Amino acid sequence: MSRRYDHARVQEYWQQAWEREGVFECPTDATDPTYVLGMFPYTSGSLHMGHIRNYAITDAYARYRRMAGDEVLHPMGWDAFGLPAENAAYKRDTDPESWTRTCIDQMKDDLREMGFGYDWSREITTCDPDYYQWNQWLFTQFYDEGLVDYGAATVNWCPDCETVLADAQVETPPEADEGETTAGTGHSHTHGGGVCWRCGTDVEQRDLDQWFFAITDYAEELYHGLDDLEGWPDGVRDSQRNWIGRQEGARVAFSVGHDDHGTVEAFTTRLDTVYGATYLALSPGHDLARALAEADDDVADYVESVASTDDAGMSGVETDLTATHPYTGEELPVYVAAYVLDDVGTGAVMGVPAHNEQDHAFADEHDLPVEQAVEPVDGSGTDLPHAPYTGDGMLMDSGEYDGLASSAARERLREHEAAESAVTYRLRDWLISRQRYWGTPIPIVHCDDCGHVPVPEEDLPVELPDYVQTTGNPLDAAEEWKQTSCPDCGADAVRETDTMDTFVDSSWYFLRYLSPHFADAPFDQKTADEWLPVDVYVGGEEHAVLHLLYIRFFTRALSDIGLLDREEPVERLINQGTVLHSGEKMSKSKGNDIAPHEYGAETTRLFVLSAAHPSQDFEWTVKDVSTAYDFQQTLYRLVTEYTDRTETRTESTDHDAYLEREIDRTIAAVTEEYDRFRFHRVIGEIQRFARLLGRYAGYDRPYQFAYSRGLRVLAGLVAPIAPFLAEEMWQLLDEDGLVAESRWPEPLRDVDDYRIERQVVRRTLDDVREITEVVDIDEPNEIELVVAADWKYRAYEIARESDPDDAIVGEIMADEGIKQHGDTAADFADRLADRGAGLEPIINGERELDTLQQAAWLFEDEFGCDVVVRRAAPDDDLAAKARPNKPAIHIS
């Protein structure tokens, strides 16, 4: 029998065995299975290391929960639409579908080779008509519910890709990485300058008629719902809060141009500073700014100039208009200024240079007056007019409001007819229109008489026509496909030629996995209501304000429509960190990527899970990968050496009891780390346990029952991470069935205190090592470990349970059993009181004695001498030195 493990030799066999037994198939009648999901991959051609890390996490957890007795749903599918496929097909002179199908075949083989266990009976592909028909169906449902809008919008436009880009897809500097980020776009915020995230081309601004999902209708719910997502990383929740951008304040109406231009509402969170307003500023995208640009060349030139830059600074242009201050009646100059953002507040700002950093900088640039309206309550003064005072305080030079505190003034000022309470959001409606071929056709027909008419359900899906390579919008050039009749009146009409943002595909795909073959709706609601939310969802933090916000929007919208009895889609979110190589993110575009199979499937899996906590970045190094490979060989060799061995014992001794106890402790530790997704610690525990098994086997002939159990447990614990290896170990140990279907190892005895027991042994070993080094004892004759007297444990527990403000010494000495030890007990009580709240949990004296007696062989093995473990006796010289869980040590 070879003692070298070669996963390539066995992986095909075990893959077929898993598939034959249906190990990973979740039954349709499962009762609320554990739903483990990794963000499905964009079909870019092959798996990259970011995929491997993501899917190694979900696969390990899914396998663990399955062994623990759960029914587990762990599906996989393909995010298959999108512009990158069109670009790739163009470069290769093929069509997007052929390219995409080839990629799917390759990536599916990659996943299988890595040993990932998916329920392939639930596989979905978003470019299949039987999937995207439900995109269209959901669009029509949202349309009927008033959640779909159509209108002109200023959008980011990539002239090279010839499509709309969301703000999140406009980058500075260019960092596009084709094929390694899920395709799709997000919000429709107007962006000045920047480059396309895909091709690096300078982005332009265009006005186009577009389709929107009214995600802003859910801004309040989405914002406050974040408070309930306790299983989500704080970073993602903070990103969504900032993106939604909720602000409480007031709208203040300024009449402009003596009412010739109506009123402009400025939003402010500091209404108490309104008397300090010295100008009104409009964003370049404000409706009034656009109207002025049509008649004023200076305004038009300015708006055009700032549209092509991200660094307009405190620039601005004064208009010919003035605005009437609603509280004072003064006339204020009106500016168009790039620092005022279209998507914050109302797109108009009342400029208060004395109390706002940006307003002060703008006023300084344009020589505008600085008028103080608030002063510090404590009389500490300010640095005005040289620097703004931005804190709350007491109002001054504010007419009838003088002397009011800021908070009270905000309430009083809001009573004015020109002001009203308001909540604003940075969030804008989700622009879903894309002028590309490879996406879901938007199911709308444009009729001259009837307007926009949704395609009836019985005519769905509206399938894509055959692909023809062209510039511009390919669907617009598909004349035969485009010409149709109106569903309402039957007259000649044309189809909508935009396709949907591919983030629509991924906003509900987790629901389709639940009932992938359901023909009457996108998903079976009864199953969805029972199986949701997703228990664990793993994917990159870069999707925080796009995909992860959209799945929340979709779930809430579906709930309101009555299609779902859930408001949040995911219980626990795990963001995996980045794999680095040579200090940079591993990626194809940087030429520093490593093929996942280059070092073997299980070596790669072991390394990416052992290198760091799932949320942390780590560096790919050949040395560390080699360590993962060697670890597999160690585990395999332990089993082969045992199966080849003929000499074992059937009678147990103390050191066998230590192994049996350590098996239980290891099960408890590893189980806890799996539950907490700390796979790096799981592997650390398994490595430590493997070293112990090797040391035990070398110390004496193994006790057959304990050692064989240890090896079975070892195979079970490593099975979720290195499944091919674990199956080989399981088979060599003559165990029945598959380890993937075996029960998760369970302790035979209570191990609630396993950490403390281990700590006692580890600390005592460290203390003995230190003594031998300090005293320079090379070959000790005997090591004596003396466990403290019982009364010290009682005193310790009294101190731990006492309030730090209590008279701890008095409470301890009130115990008659402790009091009889006189001054010795009082001194010990004093030391405990000094430590106060720093007292750690301990095991009792009997447990400590048993633990050290069972561990005595470790000391004998390391130091080559006899070891005596005993309880402290009365008048024992060592008794005074022994403390709970800190035995006295004597070395001769």
Side-chain angles (χ1 to χ4, degrees):
M1 180 187 301
S2 171
R3 291 188 179 181
R4 179 180 175 277
Y5 171 64
D6 179 5
H7 88 277
R9 178 178 58 82
V10 301
Q11 68 180 36
E12 187 68 25
Y13 176 83
W14 292 118
Q15 286 163 348
Q16 292 178 0
W18 296 331
E19 291 169 7
R20 183 177 62 250
E21 298 300 322
V23 172
F24 309 118
E25 292 185 9
C26 181
T28 56
D29 60 352
T31 302
D32 190 19
T34 299
Y35 191 173
V36 183
L37 185 62
M39 293 182 184
F40 65 169
Y42 185 75
T43 49
S44 58
S46 60
L47 295 183
H48 57 73
M49 203 58 71
H51 290 133
I52 298 302
R53 192 177 190 194
N54 184 328
Y55 304 143
I57 292 168
T58 60
D59 190 56
Y61 188 71
R63 286 174 177 272
Y64 158 63
R65 291 311 314 168
R66 193 176 291 109
M67 292 175 68
D70 291 3
E71 291 180 301
V72 175
L73 174 61
H74 186 218
M76 178 51 68
W78 311 102
D79 191 9
F81 270 143
L83 182 60
E86 272 189 82
N87 291 344
Y90 178 83
K91 292 176 183 177
R92 293 162 178 82
D93 196 26
T94 185
D95 63 275
E97 179 160 13
S98 296
W99 163 251
T100 299
R101 300 292 179 185
T102 300
C103 292
I104 289 173
D105 290 343
Q106 176 62 54
M107 296 175 79
K108 191 170 182 178
D109 286 344
D110 291 344
L111 291 172
R112 192 169 180 272
E113 187 174 342
M114 291 300 299
F116 297 138
Y118 296 112
D119 183 351
W120 288 111
S121 69
R122 297 174 180 273
E123 180 181 9
I124 59 173
T125 304
T126 61
C127 66
D128 286 343
D130 63 0
Y131 182 87
Y132 69 72
Q133 69 169 321
W134 299 115
N135 283 348
Q136 296 171 340
W137 187 85
L138 289 168
F139 178 97
T140 62
Q141 301 302 304
F142 285 10
Y143 186 95
D144 291 342
E145 293 293 325
L147 291 175
V148 177
D149 295 321
Y150 184 74
T154 300
V155 296
N156 303 307
W157 176 266
C158 174
D160 186 59
C161 298
E162 296 182 322
T163 192
V164 170
L165 301 174
D167 236 26
Q169 293 174 300
V170 181
E171 297 184 341
T172 304
E175 295 178 357
D177 191 6
E178 179 175 331
E180 294 197 9
T181 306
T182 303
T185 64
H187 298 276
S188 58
H189 302 304
T190 303
H191 193 287
V195 297
C196 174
W197 72 330
R198 289 298 182 193
C199 66
T201 302
D202 290 339
V203 171
E204 301 173 354
Q205 303 293 299
R206 288 194 181 182
D207 288 336
L208 295 175
D209 287 335
Q210 304 279 280
W211 291 98
F212 297 85
F213 280 155
I215 192 173
T216 53
D217 289 4
Y218 287 85
E220 188 80 3
E221 288 185 39
L222 292 169
Y223 185 88
H224 289 296
L226 291 166
D227 294 336
D228 299 326
L229 297 181
E230 297 178 357
W232 286 42
D234 289 340
V236 171
R237 294 196 289 175
D238 289 343
S239 293
Q240 289 200 8
R241 286 191 185 97
N242 293 335
W243 192 255
I244 295 169
R246 185 182 190 276
Q247 286 189 309
E248 292 184 6
R251 282 192 176 93
V252 183
F254 290 79
S255 60
V256 178
H258 303 290
D259 288 334
D260 292 344
H261 293 274
T263 61
V264 170
E265 289 189 334
F267 175 79
T268 179
T269 60
R270 292 293 308 273
L271 186 59
D272 55 314
T273 68
V274 66
Y275 275 81
T278 60
Y279 66 92
L280 183 70
L282 309 174
S283 71
H286 194 281
D287 288 344
L288 179 55
R290 292 175 187 234
L292 292 171
E294 292 179 1
D296 187 325
D297 290 342
D298 289 341
V299 175
D301 291 344
Y302 178 74
V303 170
E304 183 178 354
S305 69
V306 297
S308 59
T309 179
D310 270 338
D311 190 24
M314 287 294 133
S315 67
V317 59
E318 187 174 3
T319 71
D320 293 333
L321 299 178
T322 59
T324 303
H325 193 301
Y327 288 86
T328 67
E330 295 179 7
E331 295 298 313
L332 307 181
V334 177
Y335 283 79
V336 176
Y339 87 94
V340 183
L341 304 178
D342 300 340
D343 55 6
V344 176
T346 61
V349 163
M350 64 173 201
V352 185
H355 303 295
N356 181 277
E357 295 279 0
Q358 287 189 304
D359 294 351
H360 187 276
F362 185 82
D364 191 51
E365 183 74 20
H366 297 274
D367 198 25
L368 292 165
V370 178
E371 297 181 3
Q372 185 175 1
V374 177
E375 61 182 351
V377 175
D378 60 7
S380 58
T382 70
D383 195 24
L384 287 166
H386 306 295
Y389 171 66
T390 59
D392 280 359
M394 183 180 295
L395 268 63
M396 59 177 288
D397 293 336
S398 298
E400 63 185 278
Y401 305 98
D402 278 357
L404 289 175
S406 287
S407 57
R410 287 192 280 269
E411 295 298 322
R412 285 277 305 279
L413 286 161
R414 206 173 282 127
E415 296 172 1
H416 193 283
E417 62 181 4
E420 63 176 356
S421 298
V423 176
T424 66
Y425 302 92
R426 179 176 180 266
L427 183 68
R428 292 294 178 262
D429 281 338
W430 174 9
L431 188 157
I432 67 165
S433 291
R434 297 294 176 267
Q435 293 70 43
R436 303 306 304 164
Y437 169 81
W438 195 229
T440 300
I442 293 176
I444 289 289
V445 169
H446 298 281
C447 174
D448 289 341
D449 294 329
C450 304
H452 313 309
V453 182
V455 175
E457 180 176 347
E458 60 268 20
D459 293 334
L460 299 178
V462 177
E463 294 194 35
L464 288 166
D466 291 338
Y467 177 71
V468 177
Q469 200 170 96
T470 181
T471 57
N473 185 345
L475 293 187
D476 197 37
E479 287 294 335
E480 184 177 349
W481 175 88
K482 188 168 65 172
Q483 301 303 321
T484 187
S485 57
C486 175
D488 283 355
C489 71
D492 289 344
V494 295
R495 295 189 187 280
E496 172 61 61
T497 58
D498 284 354
T499 52
M500 293 185 197
D501 174 7
T502 54
F503 270 115
V504 175
D505 306 344
S506 58
S507 291
W508 67 278
Y509 80 108
F510 59 93
L511 289 161
R512 189 62 179 172
Y513 284 137
L514 306 181
S515 41
H517 310 296
F518 197 63
D520 298 329
F523 52 87
D524 175 52
Q525 182 176 352
K526 181 180 179 182
T527 301
D529 290 342
E530 182 179 346
W531 288 14
L532 286 181
V534 175
D535 292 276
V536 177
Y537 195 31
V538 181
E541 190 175 9
E542 67 271 17
H543 298 296
V545 297
L546 295 174
H547 167 64
L548 290 170
L549 185 63
Y550 297 151
I551 63 171
R552 298 185 61 225
F553 161 62
F554 254 70
T555 304
R556 287 181 178 272
L558 292 171
S559 177
D560 284 351
I561 292 173
L563 297 176
L564 194 60
D565 188 24
R566 288 284 183 271
E567 291 191 336
E568 291 290 349
V570 172
E571 181 78 18
R572 184 175 188 178
L573 175 68
I574 306 290
N575 290 141
Q576 88 274 13
T578 301
V579 182
L580 307 174
H581 194 203
S582 302
E584 293 186 298
K585 177 183 177 181
M586 190 182 288
S587 71
K588 298 172 186 175
S589 64
K590 292 173 180 167
N592 66 348
D593 60 315
I594 302 292
H597 310 306
E598 187 171 330
Y599 291 90
E602 285 186 307
T603 299
T604 299
R605 286 176 63 139
L606 273 167
F607 174 59
V608 299
L609 291 177
S610 66
H613 187 282
S615 64
Q616 295 176 331
D617 299 345
F618 71 86
E619 181 79 20
W620 180 280
T621 67
V622 174
K623 179 182 177 182
D624 291 337
V625 176
S626 177
T627 300
Y629 174 81
D630 292 342
F631 176 49
Q632 294 173 79
Q633 303 307 322
T634 297
L635 298 185
Y636 189 70
R637 187 169 54 251
L638 279 172
V639 174
T640 56
E641 287 179 351
Y642 171 73
T643 56
D644 290 345
R645 179 192 292 267
T646 57
E647 295 183 3
T648 58
R649 290 180 291 109
T650 56
E651 295 180 0
S652 65
T653 65
D654 277 349
H655 77 280
D656 301 321
Y658 179 84
L659 176 63
E660 291 179 294
R661 185 71 179 169
E662 191 57 29
I663 291 171
D664 290 345
R665 288 191 283 247
T666 299
I667 294 171
V670 169
T671 300
E672 184 174 322
E673 302 301 358
Y674 269 117
D675 284 332
R676 300 178 68 178
F677 284 82
R678 300 197 299 197
F679 303 108
H680 60 305
R681 294 197 177 183
V682 167
I683 294 172
E685 284 286 345
I686 295 172
Q687 288 172 328
R688 186 206 55 77
F689 184 49
R691 287 194 297 270
L692 177 68
L693 288 171
R695 186 175 178 183
Y696 171 86
Y699 179 76
D700 188 9
R701 285 183 302 149
Y703 174 48
Q704 180 180 344
F705 303 107
Y707 192 61
S708 62
R709 176 178 176 241
L711 294 174
R712 291 195 304 275
V713 166
L714 187 66
L717 298 181
V718 80
I721 292 173
F724 300 134
L725 171 63
E727 293 291 2
E728 284 293 295
M729 294 167 64
W730 197 250
Q731 184 185 57
L732 290 171
L733 291 167
D734 289 330
E735 293 299 312
D736 294 332
L738 297 166
V739 70
E741 292 188 305
S742 68
R743 299 296 298 175
W744 186 249
E746 294 184 359
L748 298 180
R749 302 166 192 81
D750 173 43
V751 283
D752 288 344
D753 294 329
Y754 76 87
R755 283 195 188 87
I756 307 173
E757 293 178 12
R758 283 180 165 181
Q759 191 175 55
V760 168
V761 176
R762 184 172 61 250
R763 283 181 178 176
T764 306
L765 276 166
D766 288 343
D767 289 344
V768 172
R769 292 184 189 113
E770 184 177 358
I771 293 170
T772 57
E773 290 175 7
V774 170
V775 185
D776 195 20
I777 303 174
D778 291 331
E779 297 181 359
N781 294 321
E782 182 182 80
I783 297 172
E784 190 176 12
L785 306 177
V786 181
V787 175
D790 279 342
W791 67 266
K792 288 189 175 182
Y793 294 86
R794 293 202 303 278
Y796 191 100
E797 290 300 339
I798 291 172
R800 276 198 77 236
E801 294 169 3
S802 298
D803 189 299
D805 296 329
D806 293 344
I808 295 177
V809 174
E811 289 190 23
I812 292 173
M813 296 306 291
D815 185 294
E816 290 297 328
I818 298 173
K819 183 178 180 180
Q820 68 182 4
H821 295 279
D823 292 342
T824 300
D827 290 343
F828 186 62
D830 277 335
R831 290 198 297 271
L832 292 174
D834 289 342
R835 293 173 63 184
L839 295 173
E840 300 173 349
I842 60 171
I843 52 176
N844 63 40
E846 193 65 33
R847 181 73 254 158
E848 180 181 350
L849 182 65
D850 287 345
T851 299
L852 288 173
Q853 286 176 337
Q854 292 169 3
W857 71 278
L858 295 173
F859 295 81
E860 294 173 358
D861 186 49
E862 180 172 343
F863 299 101
C865 66
D866 293 334
V867 176
V868 175
V869 181
R870 63 177 178 83
R871 176 68 58 80
D875 302 323
D876 191 333
D877 290 340
L878 292 174
K881 298 180 180 179
R883 304 194 302 273
N885 291 192
K886 186 78 171 174
I889 301 170
H890 178 256
I891 303 175
S892 59

